[in-house]
Each structure stands twice: as structure tokens, then as C-alpha cells.
Amino acid sequence: MVLAQLDRGGSGDGADGLSHLASSTVAVIVGVDGMCAGVGTGPAGTVPAWGGEAVGTALEDLQFTLGEGPSRDAAVTGVPVLTPDLADALARWPAFTPAAMGLGARALFVFPLRIGAIGVGTMLAHRRAPGALAAAQIADALALADAVTLALLHRQWSTPEDGGQPGPGWAQPVTYRAEVHQATGMVSVQLEVNLAEALVRLRARAWAEDRPLADVAADVVARRLRFNASDR
Amino acid sequence: MTRERQLVETFVEVADTLVDDFDVIDFLLTLAGRCVRLLDVDAAGIMLIDQRGHLHAAAASTESARLVELFELQTDAGPCIDCCRTGTPVVNADLGANAGRWPQFAEAARDSGFVAVHALPLRLRENVIGALNLFSAESRVLTEDDVRAGQALADVATIGILAQRSLHQAELLAAQLQSALNSRIVIEQAKGVLAERHRISVDEAFALLREHARHRNLRLSDLARDVAERSAAAAELWRA
């Protein structure tokens, strides 16, 4: 449902699907009180990139100021940090936890936005009452995290020739085939770019040729297709 | 050595690797190798299923592109996905007799020289997180004892995937699974980087990566990340 909305948004009027996706709507679907996503995986914290509700933004600011919190942990470890009851997290984040509870958050769920070694940022969801996410809600959040990751990658690395636009169907998960990731590594060496840009180039090629990403990736791995720096 | 003895040694060996900060993919690779020897099959793979129901090969006894493809083909139809959906083992499935049940998979598996396939669930209470997939090139029937031993090995794989933290909630299960799947993606990216850098196949790139990790006593996932990010720590492998 969320992904269908992203897909629709991706085909059209200049903005990418992500800007069409109201974080408040998604929060209702996932079953939380607020969601937002930020770009950045370093000690400097994240820059807001999606969703902008007050509590989420304040929670990110807090982590930046205090130098601790679930988004930082998720960015460093690459593992979702799921805290159904913040009251249990006092020992883990002694400064952040009381401040976050002061903002009215009682449960926090942070999902890393990453594809293998490509780290983009983190997605944060909060609840005003303690409570664990159900398995289906986690599945929705993970699917959403994949789609947001791709949208942010395209925002950051697309060139004007790509139209800055991922094509229809771009919200389909990238993580399905091993060859896509192998091809990403190969293209990054061919073009002397980082993995993030290599993946965007690979997807742009598939989009331009109207072929499945997996097919283009298979051609790269079989060395039937090379990317040249001059093609960029 | 009797099989009981070999099984005991395998369990002791894997228990030793389940220390703090162990590398889950490396652990599963070792386990897949042991499955081939202990169960007298020709190939073994440990498959994880993600939240969307897609199967991912986390580790295989032989990391050949062809074998990985066979694993991945089963997302649509195959013994692994049947096993994951029902939580029950698929044993001694003849690839000729099951051609109608999994047409695409059965044909690809036969083309790779296999005649029989088995899948044992990776179970945690009510959850199925994946399957241990076994292939035989000869028609040798897995006995009840084989299946019991195989299920024990599948259970060890489950423990390894989830062991990094104690597990009480679906949330942690999802986190651990996600983490294992992401580690695998890093390895695929690193294979691609090395394959292109040295003009070798991705299979050779994997062998290079794993051998280097062993010789230098590095965690496979850490080394793969260093290669993927071209960090100075992997310079030796980059130049090699």
C-alpha cells in the first residue's frame, strides 16, 4: 500500500515519490504516532530528509546534541534498534532517554537505511505509549525503509540526464538478487565511483533500457556490459 | 570416524565459534560445509526468508554463482519456499517426479546435475526464518537418522543467526534477520569490487576474500566491508 503510493508519486510532476508520501499517513499504516527519516551515518548525526513532525525532529536534534541515542546506534551497527518501552533504556542512553520521554515519546523504533555497505541514514518511528510493533508492522516498516533508502539514493546521486527520477516500479526492492550487488561492486570500479552512485547508475541504465534491473546486473557480472566513465 | 562422533565434533566446533562478536555469515559457511560431509549430500545452502517472503542465500557449501541461482529461483516455487511456508521438512523430493510441482526450479536443478533435493526448516518457536537446502547428485535416500541429524544442524544455524542477542520478541528476530541479510549483501558487493579489480569471476573473488580473512584472522564481514568501502585496511587485497 505504501509502496504503491511511492510508485505513483515517482512517475510524474518533477518531485520524487518520497515527497508525495505523507509521513503522517505512513505512520498510521505502520501503527506508530510519527515517522521521519534523516540522511547521514557519521558522528555528525542526520540531516532531516523525510517527514517533519515536531517530535521526530526534536528526537533527532536531541541525539545530535547529546551524542547518543538509537539513531546513532542503528547507523553505527547497521541493525534496527527497537525499543518498545523507553523506560527500559535508561542505562543504554542515560541522557537521551529521560529527555526523549520528556518530549512525550515512550517507544522508539529506528531502522537503518542501508543496502549492504551503502549507508544512507536512518528512519525513526515513535509511539506516545509503550508497546512493541507486531510482526506485520515491522515488515511494513522494513519495506518502507528499503523504498526510502532508494529514494534518498536517487536524490543524492542522480544526474540531470537521468531526469533525477527513478522510473515507475522503482520502489521494488533492490535486495532480491545477489547479482545486483555484485554488479554494483563491479560498476563502482569501472566508473571509479562509490557503491551508492554505482547502484544508481545501474538502476538508471535499467530504467533507460526498460529492462529489469536483475537482467542488466546479470549482463555486468557476465561481462557482456561495461560502464565507461565517458558514458556518464 | 562414526557419524555420531563427527556430529559431536561439529557441535563442539560451532559452539566454540559462538563467542562474542562472531561473524554470522562465516559461521553459516562453515556449517554448510559440514552439512555436505555429515549428511552425504553434494551441496548445502542456508536460506533466509525476508519479511516479504523472498528467499536469500546466506551461505552455501560451494559459493558458485550457479548454485546461488538455484537457491534464489525458489522464491517463486520450490522445496525451500514450501518448507518455509509450512514449517515442515521436504525430504527426498525427486526432481523428475516433482517437475510438475516446481517446473522451473526442477529443470534448473537437473541441469546442474542434481536428482534429489531436501529442505529442512530453520525454526524458532512459531516462526520459520529460513531453510537448510540440500542437494544430491545421486539418488540416495535420506534416512530418518539423516533427517534428524540434518534438523539438528538446521537448529544450530538458527541459534547462530539469533545468538547475538537473547530473543524474546518478534522485533529482535526481525532485527537479527535483517542484520544477517545485510551482511550477505556487503559480501556480494565486495565480490563485485574484487572481481572487477582483478578481472576474475565473482566465485574466484569470493574465494580470495575468504582465504584472506582466514589467513589474517579477520572477520569475513569486516573484511568485505573494508573492500566494499575501499578502506585502507583492505589495501593489501585491493593490490594483490
Side-chain angles (χ1 to χ4, degrees), chain A residues 82 84 109 114-117 132-133 138 142-143 146 175-178 181-182 185-186 188-190 223 226, chain B residues 51-52 56 72 75 169 171 174 178-179 182 185-186 188-189 191-193 195-196 199-200 202 225 228 230:
Chain A
L82 308 170
F109 311 96
R114 61 164 54 242
I115 300 170
L133 292 177
I138 293 175
L142 287 170
D146 280 355
T175 50
Y176 176 28
R177 300 297 293 262
H181 308 300
Q182 295 162 3
M186 291 176 72
S188 80
V189 176
Q190 290 168 5
R223 298 196 156 88
R226 276 187 68 81
Chain B
Q51 268 74 13
R52 294 189 201 81
H56 303 266
E72 289 183 337
T75 280
Q169 301 151 24
E171 306 198 314
Q178 200 64 19
S179 165
N182 203 64
I185 294 176
V186 178
E188 299 302 341
Q189 290 167 337
K191 278 159 71 172
V193 166
E196 184 63 22
R199 300 298 171 108
I200 53 180
V202 287
R225 183 169 302 275
R230 322 263 173 83

Side-chain angles (χ1 to χ4, degrees), chain B residues 110-140:
Chain B
R110 281 200 314 269
D111 285 350
S112 294
F114 298 118
V115 301
V117 63
H118 325 275
L120 304 169
L122 266 52
R123 266 184 318 228
L124 180 80
R125 295 190 281 274
E126 73 276 20
N127 295 299
V128 178
I129 63 166
L132 171 62
N133 201 183
L134 307 167
F135 289 93
S136 305
E138 291 161 31
S139 51
R140 191 187 76 80

Side-chain angles (χ1 to χ4, degrees), chain A:
Chain A
M1 183 173 172
V2 170
L3 297 184
Q5 202 165 342
L6 277 167
D7 252 358
R8 265 203 308 281
S11 52
D13 53 6
D16 59 24
L18 200 53
S19 4
H20 286 267
L21 191 69
S23 63
S24 52
T25 311
V26 178
V28 172
I29 296 169
V30 176
V32 295
D33 293 308
M35 289 190 98
C36 59
V39 174
T41 55
T46 61
V47 176
W50 174 69
E53 45 82 33
V55 176
T57 309
L59 288 168
E60 290 291 2
D61 286 348
L62 259 187
Q63 299 187 62
F64 175 69
T65 312
L66 299 172
E68 65 176 32
S71 301
R72 288 178 154 246
D73 289 3
V76 170
T77 61
V79 179
V81 177
L82 308 170
T83 317
D85 189 349
L86 258 183
D88 296 337
L90 275 165
R92 187 169 181 184
W93 308 300
F96 169 79
T97 302
M101 291 172 77
L103 289 168
R106 285 304 307 274
L108 286 183
F109 311 96
V110 181
F111 299 87
L113 303 177
R114 61 164 54 242
I115 300 170
I118 305 171
V120 174
T122 49
M123 182 176 83
L124 181 150
H126 78 269
R127 277 180 169 163
R128 285 190 292 268
L133 292 177
Q137 293 171 326
I138 293 175
D140 281 345
L142 287 170
L144 178 71
D146 280 355
V148 171
T149 303
L150 285 174
L152 295 177
L153 270 182
H154 278 268
R155 260 191 205 173
Q156 194 173 355
W157 297 106
S158 283
T159 60
E161 296 84 72
D162 306 337
Q165 284 287 330
W170 67 277
Q172 292 307 307
V174 72
T175 50
Y176 176 28
R177 300 297 293 262
E179 281 180 337
V180 170
H181 308 300
Q182 295 162 3
T184 302
M186 291 176 72
V187 169
S188 80
V189 176
Q190 290 168 5
L191 294 179
E192 296 177 16
V193 297
N194 63 25
L195 290 170
E197 187 172 353
L199 177 57
V200 170
R201 300 264 72 79
L202 205 53
R203 289 174 63 88
R205 174 71 68 107
W207 163 231
E209 295 179 355
D210 195 23
R211 298 170 63 202
L213 177 61
D215 288 3
V216 176
D219 279 353
V220 172
V221 173
R223 298 196 156 88
R224 290 186 293 264
L225 171 64
R226 276 187 68 81
F227 283 60
N228 299 309
S230 56
D231 295 346
R232 292 181 59 203

